[in-house]
Amino acid sequence: MRTLPHLFRTAVALVLALFLTTPAVGAQETTTTSSPTSTTTTTTTTTTSEAGAQDEDSYTEAIDITFPTSPSVQFTDDYHQPRSGGRVHRATDLMGPKGTKLYAARAGTVCFITGYDKLPPSYGVMLTICGDDGRKYDYIHVNNDTPGTDDAQGGPEFAFSPGLHPGGAVSRGQWIATMGDSGNAEGTAPHLHFEIEDPTILDPYGTNQRNPYNSLTAALERHDVPTEPGPPGLDAVVRVGGVDRVATAIALAARWQQAPSVVLASGDRVPDSLAAGPLAASAKGPVLLNLGSRLDPRVASELKRLRPAWVVLVGGPAALSHQTDADVRSTVPGARVDRIFGPDRFATAAAVSRTIWASAPGTRSAVIALGDHADPARAWPDALTAGWLGALTHRPVLLTAPDRVPQATLDALEGIGSAVVVGGEAPVPPAVFSRLDQAVGTLTRLAGVDRYATAIRVAEAGLRAGATLTHLRVVTGRGPGDALAAGAAAADEEALMILVDGLEQRADLPVSYYLRPRSAQIQTAAAIGGPQVMTDEAIARLGLRIT
């Protein structure tokens, strides 16, 4: 906002400039016009007030632009309308339905943008095009809602067109964004606040804000309206999943034509299954899941296909029955079959860690996550992405309780050089973190404001450790089932794995702001899980985020 002293000084400067440069009243200007038959000299008289009016009116003159949205919108010449705090509008509001497409008025580059990689400021989602004509075109109150809602949790995939990014080039008439009511326009009718910043003019308020109204009406009169087609298909995202978690694990194992080893875990014992991922990665094989009191026929068929030389059962007889063990041995009679387990989930994870460390002697390290909680919905999300990071870096996952560090975990950590805790202070409180810190040489924490933001911090650590953003794998943050075998498969591909909201699509906004600026780097994307845990809508939204 410009201060009153600034406006006063600007007004004085304008008056002085007009006084010094404009002819006095009655001064004559001579113009000569010619024709084939005669030459006539015409004398005209221009007053000071008329010359001043011509200068002042330059900010209203029409310039050459393409109409920036649908021609069906409504607008008036509202440039001088007052706004709160003593402000004046200095723009044109084009009123239309939320989600109406917005287009580039001129070719140029996206030189300013908000709401693209983080939450937008108070004035909302906007972008500026630095046009090829030296002017700037501002699009303010861009949509920030999920279509059909007013939840302001839509993310950039519902604000900007696919492929748009800061610094990117845009062509005239290209679809760039969608109309909304973001920022201080929340609760008002959706509209585009359209500004033109023009250094060649000076408006009555001492700034360079051209009145867009005449430029907009001129564009409509000459039918200079956009014809940009709709968004591309979302065929960049594939689903890897089956009717249940057993089938999904088998679908993930399809990338192995033959596996030297297979790790088998119980599909309903989440902690054991999450500890199995790093073990499978160190043994260069997949994780398969089993449900029931004996070996699932589908798992038996997959074991025959994979022909492993080593099968490891993770979990005691309560998780994988003696009958399941016997069925495995008869299914792959030439394979070595081992079982790793302890008296509880913490001891089982510790036992798995020793097997992993034994296969890779040297400096030992671990990933630690919450493994138990009174609320089952809180005992697994961080451990899920921890399992992927462990599989990627060949570090085991050790488990802690929310109020203590179990002795089995402390025993496993003895002599450990470094470890990383996945989860914030709610799942792993400071007292627990402090006790873990006493047990290892160097302890760090990866955490965000929620499970989705924490998964992003883990993903960033994975990128530093060798994962690639070119291959993206997403699992649901709503339930662990189909995701239990995903960590080992994603790590084998050196793919990035993150959590998304597979059901409601409104809890994972941090994912939007993480993926959108990186979308150009993503070459393949897979959503892990069947339709019951990863809906078609969730997959479609992922497609919007990465296109």
Side-chain angles (χ1 to χ4, degrees), residues 5 58 63 97 113 118 178 181 225 249 264 293 298 308 312 330 358 372-373 379 421-422 429 488 494 516 522 531 543:
S58 64
I63 58 173
I113 194 167
K118 57 186 176 181
T178 54
D181 59 359
V225 295
L264 183 66
S293 59
R298 296 171 294 175
V312 185
S330 62
D372 189 21
H373 197 279
V421 170
V422 174
E494 295 184 342
R516 191 64 174 180
I522 299 171

Side-chain angles (χ1 to χ4, degrees), residues 41-67:
T41 299
T42 303
T43 301
T44 60
T45 300
T46 305
T47 66
T48 304
S49 59
E50 289 171 342
Q54 288 176 342
D55 291 341
E56 291 175 359
D57 288 346
S58 64
Y59 78 99
T60 67
E61 293 174 355
I63 58 173
D64 179 25
I65 63 170
T66 291
F67 197 73

